[in-house]
Amino acid sequence: MTAVLIAGIAVIDFVLTLDEMPRRAEKYRAREAAIVGGGCAANAAVAVARLGGQALLAARLGDDPIGDLILKDIDAEGVDCRLVRREKGRRSSFSSILLDRDGERQIVNYRDETMEKGAGWLTGSSVPEFDAALADTRWPDGAEAVMRLARERGKPGVMDVEAPTRIAGDALRLATHLAFSEQGLAEFSGGADLAAGLKRARAETGAFVCVTRGGDGVSWLEGDMVRTMPAFRIPVADTLGAGDVWHGAFALALGNGEDEVAAMRFANAAAAIKCSRFGGRSGAPSRIEVQEFLKERA
């Protein structure tokens, strides 16, 4: 079984669906609601597990009831949580998320800024063997630790690059693959256009670089040319967690030995299926669902 080490945040999301986003300070009634686990790393870990991989999650939680809920939910998905550290007296992260009728989202997140930022336990033999690593810019120390381990062990190291990007500069330089959001690439490159931004990122890091663009698919550098793989066209119910599912699927495919183009197509399919379902990461697909989806579109 392909193992993916994933470092980053794990939260609980309180998701409410409305016809349109609130614009005034008054009461609103949700059409639908769900309490689901969230956070970039936790979402990606669940995606990896559902897609048939072994997900190893490294994260920081408080010793509070929210942390209990987060762990219970992730554990039920089959994610290995031995590298999750809980800190006494700290509060776990949670988010309030509003979705409009088009599936677009607005997120308000709380995180305990007194949480220990270090990742000293993610070194050497304390971390099990893995086939690929994934991290994001929201926990720079954790990202650097797992990207360094991936480099030392000769495994693909994927960074989910969101703004602010430079706070995780050491991790970006250690990674083999950088998958930017459009906002992340613009911030990293100082507002350069897509092609110039990708070229700057590759020149600074030497990594494979791409940018995920939602409904416009994913673009990457092939030599000095920008290539684009369109997104699959599906009815959109909920985009929440789609990017995290994409990154988890991409890292898993690389860990399986797929090349970047095949890995991006696999990730596009997984993210598209998720977007067709309400409920954040609860809509993440199984490997069989992705395989059938791709077979129908061969």
Side-chain angles (χ1 to χ4, degrees):
M1 184 183 293
T2 301
V4 182
L5 171 63
I6 304 160
I9 60 172
V11 310
I12 283 288
D13 291 335
F14 298 89
V15 185
L16 301 170
T17 299
L18 304 97
D19 289 327
E20 60 183 11
M21 294 296 179
R23 298 178 183 275
R24 298 180 300 276
E26 59 186 43
K27 291 183 178 180
Y28 295 84
R29 184 177 297 275
R31 289 192 291 105
E32 195 168 355
I35 300 175
V36 298
C40 302
N43 288 347
V46 169
V48 167
R50 290 194 179 185
L51 290 167
Q54 179 186 6
L56 304 164
L57 178 64
R60 302 162 299 159
L61 296 175
D63 62 343
D64 58 348
I66 293 291
D68 294 340
L69 285 173
I70 292 169
L71 272 183
K72 181 179 179 180
D73 186 58
I74 297 171
D75 183 69
E77 293 282 357
V79 174
D80 187 330
C81 296
R82 77 181 83 175
L83 297 176
V84 174
R85 173 163 290 191
R86 302 193 67 176
E87 297 188 23
K88 187 174 178 59
R90 301 294 189 268
R91 298 172 66 188
S92 302
S93 185
F94 59 93
S95 298
S96 172
I97 300 174
L98 304 182
L99 297 170
D100 67 17
R101 66 168 66 89
D102 297 318
E104 293 303 320
R105 67 191 188 277
Q106 184 181 90
I107 303 175
V108 180
N109 172 256
Y110 169 78
R111 68 182 66 181
D112 189 340
E113 296 297 343
T114 69
M115 192 82 73
E116 172 60 45
K117 293 177 172 57
W121 75 98
L122 301 179
T123 58
S125 60
S126 65
V127 178
E129 291 301 313
F130 57 87
D131 300 291
L134 171 64
D136 58 64
T137 50
R138 293 161 186 78
W139 180 24
D141 288 28
E144 180 184 355
V146 301
M147 290 301 107
R148 190 175 301 281
L149 278 173
R151 179 77 68 166
E152 291 170 354
R153 298 183 186 183
K155 306 297 183 181
V158 181
M159 281 293 296
D160 167 6
V161 192
E162 289 274 10
T165 61
R166 298 291 179 176
I167 61 172
D170 290 337
L172 300 185
R173 287 184 286 273
L174 288 165
T176 59
H177 295 74
L178 303 180
F180 288 86
S181 67
E182 290 184 280
Q183 181 184 6
L185 183 62
E187 192 263 359
F188 180 88
S189 65
D193 64 29
L194 187 146
L198 288 173
K199 289 175 182 178
R200 178 171 179 178
R202 185 177 64 184
E204 285 195 28
T205 64
F208 171 88
V209 292
C210 65
V211 54
T212 57
R213 304 170 61 202
D216 293 324
V218 56
S219 298
W220 73 98
L221 278 183
E222 189 174 287
D224 286 330
M225 296 292 294
V226 175
R227 304 294 187 191
T228 297
M229 182 183 297
F232 292 103
R233 296 303 173 192
I234 44 84
V236 174
D238 175 8
T239 61
L240 179 64
D244 306 327
V245 169
W246 192 98
H247 290 96
F250 181 65
L252 177 63
L254 292 177
N256 279 332
E258 301 283 353
D259 64 30
E260 286 85 3
V261 174
M264 288 187 289
R265 187 167 187 268
F266 181 77
N268 277 5
I273 295 170
K274 190 258 102 37
C275 285
S276 70
R277 300 167 175 172
F278 173 77
R281 76 169 179 227
S282 64
S286 68
R287 174 170 287 275
I288 291 175
E289 287 176 316
V290 174
Q291 290 172 337
E292 289 299 318
F293 184 92
L294 289 172
K295 187 183 299 183
E296 293 169 0
R297 291 158 178 79

